[in-house]
Amino acid sequence: MKNKKFWQWKNQSEDEGRARILELSGTIAEESWFDDDVTPEQFKDELFADSGEVTIWINSPGGDCIAASRIYAMLMDYPGAITVKIDGIAASAASVIAMAGTKVLMAPTALMMIHNPMTLAYGNHQDMQKAIGMLDEVKESIVNAYEIKTTLTRAKISHLMDNETWMNAKKAIELGFADAILEDAKKASNEASYAFSMRTSQLSLMNKITETYAIAEDQEPPEEGRAALGELEKRLNLIKPQ
């Protein structure tokens, strides 16, 4: 049975310099990648099929920690810059994948969650001890990824995982799991246009006042006019955009 793909390339880079977009959504690997030679290689082939920057959109509740580990390793090995954008949730195993981002951005409404790994086990007390030992090692491997990204101490990270920590964008940035809040490109563009318009209006106003004070084209404004202009320019400078 072929595994259901939880990833999708929205567009490969047809033009030089065009960013590639990868979407990771839903459960990470409905079946384990532990002994699957097809699914991991398929993901790797698609990842390395092209070059350049990659933008990864994540909206996933998590899933298989082995799949997350292998994806994390592939992304870390990829030579291009990787920008992770979390627009919904990056929980559990999905948060591990996010740590591979050169830059991790979160929507103001997005969430990230980290917790201890879980498993199902049956058998005698020795089997249970083996399961506990395995979970301890899996946790340490996950801590490795969080530690590299956040630079928090292993003890702090372990404590956060023990408590199943949910983080909004600001908290994730504060703790180092994310780098910045995902900004509205339209708003930034409008603010830049407004700043340019305001500066243009200031220059236009100054030119009009100068023309009013000037007696002729080749004359400077009178002394009282220059003083007034100087004072006005100081006031305008106080409110001009930086």
Side-chain angles (χ1 to χ4, degrees), residues 205-229:
L205 177 60
M206 290 296 298
N207 290 336
K208 288 181 179 179
I209 295 174
T210 302
E211 291 171 1
T212 300
Y213 275 109
I215 298 174
E217 188 175 305
D218 58 348
Q219 287 183 326
E220 292 288 332
E223 187 67 32
E224 62 274 16
R226 288 199 299 272
L229 282 173

Side-chain angles (χ1 to χ4, degrees), residues 22-26 28 55-62 75 83-91 93-99 104-105 110-111:
L22 171 64
E23 290 187 349
L24 298 179
S25 59
I28 304 299
T55 296
I56 302 177
W57 288 90
I58 296 180
N59 179 34
S60 170
L75 295 176
T83 299
V84 170
K85 295 183 178 181
I86 302 170
D87 57 346
I89 185 173
S95 69
V96 175
I97 295 175
M99 297 300 99
V104 179
L105 308 177
L111 291 169

Side-chain angles (χ1 to χ4, degrees), residues 40-59:
E41 290 306 315
Q42 183 181 4
F43 182 90
K44 186 175 182 179
D45 288 344
E46 292 181 15
L47 174 63
F48 286 88
D50 208 338
S51 59
E53 297 183 4
V54 173
T55 296
I56 302 177
W57 288 90
I58 296 180
N59 179 34

Side-chain angles (χ1 to χ4, degrees), residues 120-169:
L120 296 176
Y122 67 93
N124 57 36
H125 72 284
Q126 290 181 332
D127 296 320
M128 296 300 103
Q129 289 176 344
K130 289 179 180 179
I132 292 173
M134 180 270 292
L135 286 175
D136 287 341
E137 289 304 314
V138 172
K139 178 177 180 177
E140 290 301 311
S141 69
I142 294 173
V143 171
N144 289 338
Y146 293 150
E147 183 183 26
I148 291 171
K149 176 62 181 176
T150 66
T151 70
L152 294 173
T153 65
R154 299 184 71 85
K156 174 66 174 178
I157 295 171
S158 178
H159 180 70
L160 292 172
M161 294 174 69
D162 289 342
N163 292 332
E164 188 179 295
T165 301
W166 288 81
M167 295 171 277
N168 64 55

